[in-house]
């Protein structure tokens, strides 16, 4: 087995060397998961729920230590690590409350001796290849409902969140989930690739579009369930009647929270020409208040860039935007190391010839474009290959709804942004992916509906 070195992106220090998986160990874990699934699927729902409740209690008891692990390996500000874990507790509560009614045997017809029922059977052994930016959220959206509904899970955390992945496995096993019914696979792309080669019944992926396409190409001919939750280039339009200060504060947060490394970060802002200058000034004022620094400091708002390679993407977008005439108002460069740092960056006078407005930035950078009105805003919001989220700021609900109805996005926001709810389905249009997690649909997605046609003997 090759070891996996884990570095702190805020300091560049080696913080751990983990034993990693290889093709042989991945195959062994997949075979054991197949056996474990048969038994786990027979465990009564009440007992499976009790395991997940104990898992929840384990997280709550160790929340500060778990937050520190995530912050050390990803550079996420510690307050946001705690927020993620607290948010996960709420998501677990939702899954526990909804799993019975979402998956109970359902009678849909009963007349004249003929009965029709729908049964929700587990998929079997599901693979979950996950991202590092919200490892508890994006992993938990999959493995919690998957386990509750009787699947075995092969969980490959990102190599940038592997210590968190191991902590998840340890807590689940301590809570009573059998060791082989949930296995963590440690390593990078090669371990993900090895996982695709196994006999699995579903693949649930969160990560980049580029990797999602590679996975789809490998798994397409296998005809197994495939969900891909990919990137975004999420727009918001600020109408001329919006409250400028509130919109600017909300969108600065939406663009820069988690150092801009959120799938649903605000990545493009369009502002009506009547309030453009005032909005730009207000957003810059807010971003200037964001404290950049040690992610372990509770006052820090902007932490490290998790993957050093992303700094090249940010540099290239800045260079391209400047060359094409954008106005740099703040930041625009790396900050001194050690570690991976990028200054919070704001551009105005941007347009759609610039990479900054076309390709996912995944960092603390935002472009603001002036628009003449609603029609231009809608046109620009839809001028993207992605479609994860989109928002509108205006006091006029009817206007917001009319605009958002025209926008291609899985989630739409009125006077808010960068928000995920366990009660609502999370999905993307276009290159943002296929399938969904969360909501009751995101429980049923880990099951296969079986149709029962039952006629009473006469
Ligand atoms: P990534 O694609 O680099 O990696 C994701 C996972 O895929 C990792 O575990 C990685 O080891 C694995 N992997 C890489 N190559 C593989 C291969 N050939 N075969 C199998 N597995 C492979 O993405 P990332 O940097 O971890 O995450 C950032 C991306 O995730 C961003 O684009 C972000 O928008 C997206 N994201 C989307 C959502 C969503 O809900 N839509 C949520 C979080 C993150």
């Amino acid at each position: 087995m090759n070891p996996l070195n884990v570095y702190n992106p805020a300091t560049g220090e080696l913080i751990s060397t983990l034993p990693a998986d290889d093709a042989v160990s991945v195959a062994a874990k997949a075979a054991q998961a197949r056996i474990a699934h048969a038994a786990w699927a027979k465990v009564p729902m009440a007992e499976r729920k009790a395991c997940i409740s104990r898992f929840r209690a384990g997280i709550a008891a160790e929340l500060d230590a778990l937050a520190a692990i995530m912050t050390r390996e990803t550079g996420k500000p510690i307050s946001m690590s705690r927020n993620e874990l607290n948010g996960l507790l709420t998501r677990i509560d939702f899954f526990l409350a909804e799993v019975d009614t979402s998956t109970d045997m359902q009678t849909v017809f009963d007349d004249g001796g003929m009965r029709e029922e729908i049964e929700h059977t587990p998929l079997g052994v599901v693979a979950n290849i996950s991202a590092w930016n919200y490892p508890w959220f994006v992993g938990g959206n999959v493995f919690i409902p998957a386990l509750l509904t009787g699947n075995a899970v092969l969980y490959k955390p990102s190599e940038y969140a592997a210590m968190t992945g191991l902590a998840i496995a340890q807590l689940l096993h301590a809570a009573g989930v059998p060791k082989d019914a949930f296995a963590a696979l440690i390593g990078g792309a090669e371990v993900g690739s090895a996982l695709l080669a196994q006999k699995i019944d579903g693949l649930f992926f969160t990560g980049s579009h580029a990797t999602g396409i590679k996975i789809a190409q490998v798994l397409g001919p296998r005809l197994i369930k495939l969900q891909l939750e990919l990137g975004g280039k999420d727009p918001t339009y600020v109408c001329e009647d919006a409250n400028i200060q509130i919109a600017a504060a909300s969108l600065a947060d939406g663009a820069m929270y988690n150092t801009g490394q959120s799938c649903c970060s605000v990545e493009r802002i369009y502002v009506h020409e009547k309030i453009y200058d005032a909005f730009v000034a207000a957003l810059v004022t807010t971003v200037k208040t964001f404290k950049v620094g040690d992610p372990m400091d509770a006052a820090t708002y902007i932490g490290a860039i998790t993957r050093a390679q992303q700094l090249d993407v940010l540099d290239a977008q800045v260079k391209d935007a400047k060359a094409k005439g954008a106005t740099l108002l703040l930041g625009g460069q790396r900050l001194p190391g050690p570690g991976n740092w990028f200054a919070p960056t704001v551009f105005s006078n941007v347009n759609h010839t610039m990479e900054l407005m076309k390709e996912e930035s995944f960092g603390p950078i935002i472009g603001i474009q002036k628009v003449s009105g609603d029609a231009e805003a809608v046109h620009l919001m839809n001028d993207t290959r992605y479609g994860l989220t989109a928002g509108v700021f205006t006091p006029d609900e009817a206007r917001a709804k009319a605009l958002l109805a025209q926008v291609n996005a899985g989630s739409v926001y009125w006077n808010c942004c960068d928000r995920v709810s366990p009660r609502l389905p999370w999905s993307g249009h276009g290159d943002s992916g296929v399938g969904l997690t969360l909501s009751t649909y995101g429980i049923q997605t880990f099951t296969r509906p079986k149709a029962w046609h039952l006629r009473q003997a006469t």
Side-chain angles (χ1 to χ4, degrees), residues 129-134 138 156-160 187-194 196 205-212 214-215 228-232 262-264 307 360 362 388 426 432 437:
I129 299 181
S130 201
W132 48 264
N133 63 331
Y134 285 93
V138 295
K156 199 204 89 57
S158 166
E159 56 273 41
Y160 296 96
E190 66 297 342
V191 173
S193 247
L196 303 182
F205 172 76
T206 308
S208 64
H209 176 262
T211 308
K214 284 186 202 160
I215 290 174
L228 304 171
E229 297 203 341
L230 310 176
S262 306
C263 54
C264 52
R307 293 164 64 253
E360 191 177 49
F362 228 58
L388 195 57
W426 185 248
S432 291
T437 49

Side-chain angles (χ1 to χ4, degrees), residues 141-161:
N141 291 351
V142 172
F143 64 73
I144 294 166
L147 287 169
L148 280 172
T149 49
N151 298 279
V153 179
L154 296 165
Y155 173 61
K156 199 204 89 57
S158 166
E159 56 273 41
Y160 296 96

Side-chain angles (χ1 to χ4, degrees), residues 53-130:
S53 292
R54 288 191 291 269
F55 173 63
R56 185 198 188 286
I59 294 169
E62 293 181 36
L63 197 138
D64 284 342
L66 296 169
I69 290 171
M70 177 161 45
T71 286
R72 287 183 71 215
E73 67 181 342
T74 66
K76 184 192 291 268
I78 190 73
S79 60
M80 299 178 192
S81 292
R82 292 195 186 110
N83 288 350
E84 182 176 345
L85 285 156
N86 279 312
L88 182 80
L89 300 182
T90 312
R91 290 192 190 186
I92 294 175
D93 291 340
F94 170 82
F95 289 130
L96 288 172
E98 297 294 334
V99 68
D100 288 301
T101 47
S102 303
T103 58
D104 275 348
M105 190 83 153
Q106 197 186 350
T107 301
V108 291
F109 180 82
D110 189 358
D111 192 37
M114 186 77 206
R115 202 164 72 252
E116 298 172 358
E117 294 178 352
I118 302 171
E119 182 187 15
H120 296 277
T121 63
L123 294 173
V125 176
V126 300
N128 178 201
I129 299 181
S130 201

Side-chain angles (χ1 to χ4, degrees), residues 318-387:
V318 167
K319 192 173 164 205
D320 175 70
K322 280 181 172 170
K324 290 172 178 162
T327 306
L328 178 63
L329 298 170
L330 213 57
Q333 77 287 324
R334 299 182 189 209
L335 296 172
N340 316 323
W341 295 90
F342 204 87
T345 296
V346 180
F347 276 103
S348 63
N349 294 326
V350 294
N351 62 54
H352 278 214
T353 66
M354 300 169 188
E355 291 293 302
L356 173 64
M357 298 302 275
K358 302 290 276 186
E359 290 306 322
E360 191 177 49
S361 306
F362 228 58
I365 177 169
I366 187 70
I368 313 173
Q369 182 166 351
K370 187 189 289 185
V371 294
S372 58
D374 294 4
E376 187 184 9
V378 169
H379 169 73
L380 289 171
M381 286 202 279
N382 281 334
D383 181 26
T384 176
R385 63 193 179 97
Y386 294 109

